[in-house]
Amino acid sequence: EFLWDKFCDWYVELAKIRLQGIDGEEKEAARAILISVLNGTLKLLHPFMPFITEELYGELKPYSGERAAFILQSAVPKTDYDWSNEEARREMGVVMEIVTSMRSLRAQLNVPQGLKIKAVASGGSAQTRELISQQAAYIKALARIEELNYSEGPRPSQSATAVAAGVSFFVPLQGIIDFAVERARLEKEMLKTQADLKKIAQKIENKDFLARAPESEISLARAQQQAALARQEQLKETLLILS
């Protein structure tokens, strides 16, 4: 979870912004952190994934400064300094919440991956607004936003809304998507979701199924029902936006 969801999904993507900058010191700091964390993670994963971690450890040696021939002969990851920072953790949590919310909105509305959008932020505490201003470059890069402005004026017409960290982000949709085409696509998906729900309900309400099926299969059916219900609500919200 740490390697994939935190390091690869977030830190590597954030580091790219620093690596593309012109400041040599910033680049070197990003590289040093990337190498140090990856190298340490490979050591911790080695007992569970010995072959791939050994191969990657060897490839990293010219950059990590490691001299041991094999991971098992190297020193365990350690530091003489407590790097924990609750304020940084909180701030990064806000950035991740905003980016995740904007990505979810893009996926809901089928906005092309490569297309950059404009967003207008409204509301939120002064502290959150200041944080958004400070981290705007990261938010814009990760959420594929071309312009991110703050306004306390009325909601832009024909706009969708993403809410994160107490802030509303309005995304004008005119010229970005074809409203009629998207409505037709979502209505078709709504019919499919409703048919899936009906089929799952028939299974769950069947006494023979409940009596004979293993508990794992019953739990799976109920989980599928909850997922379909959540998808149905999401589709309703999106269709409302496009109506």
Side-chain angles (χ1 to χ4, degrees):
E1 181 188 2
F2 168 77
L3 182 64
W4 188 257
D5 296 342
K6 299 293 193 299
F7 184 68
C8 295
D9 269 5
W10 290 100
Y11 188 72
V12 171
E13 293 305 310
L14 289 163
K16 286 178 183 178
I17 298 167
R18 298 172 74 188
L19 291 171
Q20 291 165 358
I22 58 173
D23 188 332
E25 193 172 310
E26 280 287 299
K27 283 186 178 182
E28 287 310 309
R31 284 196 187 103
I33 294 168
L34 285 164
I35 292 165
S36 177
V37 174
L38 179 55
N39 194 58
T41 306
L42 292 174
K43 291 182 181 185
L44 296 173
L45 278 174
H46 185 63
F48 311 99
M49 303 170 65
F51 302 107
I52 186 65
T53 51
E54 191 71 70
E55 184 74 17
L56 292 172
Y57 171 81
E59 293 294 327
L60 270 181
K61 282 170 70 174
Y63 312 99
S64 65
E66 294 277 351
R67 296 183 179 180
F70 304 103
I71 289 186
L72 283 177
Q73 297 174 330
S74 66
V76 297
K78 63 180 181 178
T79 177
D80 298 323
Y81 182 80
D82 181 4
W83 290 99
S84 58
N85 185 326
E86 286 306 313
E87 182 61 16
R89 182 190 293 272
R90 184 197 66 79
E91 291 184 356
M92 190 61 211
V94 172
V95 171
M96 291 168 72
E97 184 183 346
I98 292 169
V99 171
T100 301
S101 181
M102 295 298 292
R103 285 175 172 175
S104 177
L105 182 67
R106 292 179 66 108
Q108 268 184 276
L109 297 168
N110 207 29
V111 176
Q113 184 68 24
L115 182 65
K116 289 194 173 183
I117 58 177
K118 296 180 181 180
V120 178
S122 178
S125 66
Q127 185 182 24
T128 302
R129 290 198 297 271
E130 177 63 23
L131 175 62
I132 291 171
S133 176
Q134 291 173 353
Q135 306 298 336
Y138 289 125
I139 294 170
K140 288 165 70 176
L142 269 63
R144 304 290 295 165
I145 298 173
E146 184 179 25
E147 290 181 21
L148 177 57
N149 300 310
Y150 238 96
S151 173
E152 296 305 328
R155 171 179 174 165
S157 62
Q158 292 187 311
S159 63
T161 309
V163 179
V167 180
S168 295
F169 295 87
F170 303 120
V171 178
L173 298 173
Q174 189 66 38
I176 292 179
I177 61 172
D178 186 316
F179 282 64
V181 170
E182 279 306 300
R183 273 198 302 269
R185 181 183 70 83
L186 293 171
E187 284 166 359
K188 185 177 179 180
E189 192 170 339
M190 176 67 87
L191 290 173
K192 182 183 180 301
T193 302
Q194 289 170 342
D196 289 343
L197 276 169
K198 186 177 179 180
K199 187 177 178 180
I200 295 168
Q202 287 173 345
K203 180 187 284 189
I204 291 176
E205 292 165 9
N206 187 310
K207 292 181 181 179
D208 288 339
F209 170 74
L210 295 175
R212 297 176 184 177
E215 186 57 39
S216 59
E217 194 173 336
I218 296 171
S219 297
L220 176 61
R222 286 177 176 152
Q224 289 172 336
Q225 184 182 46
Q226 290 304 311
L229 285 169
R231 181 58 181 154
Q232 182 176 247
E233 286 305 307
Q234 188 181 54
L235 288 167
K236 284 180 182 178
E237 290 174 14
T238 310
L239 282 166
L240 190 61
I241 291 169
L242 298 177
S243 66

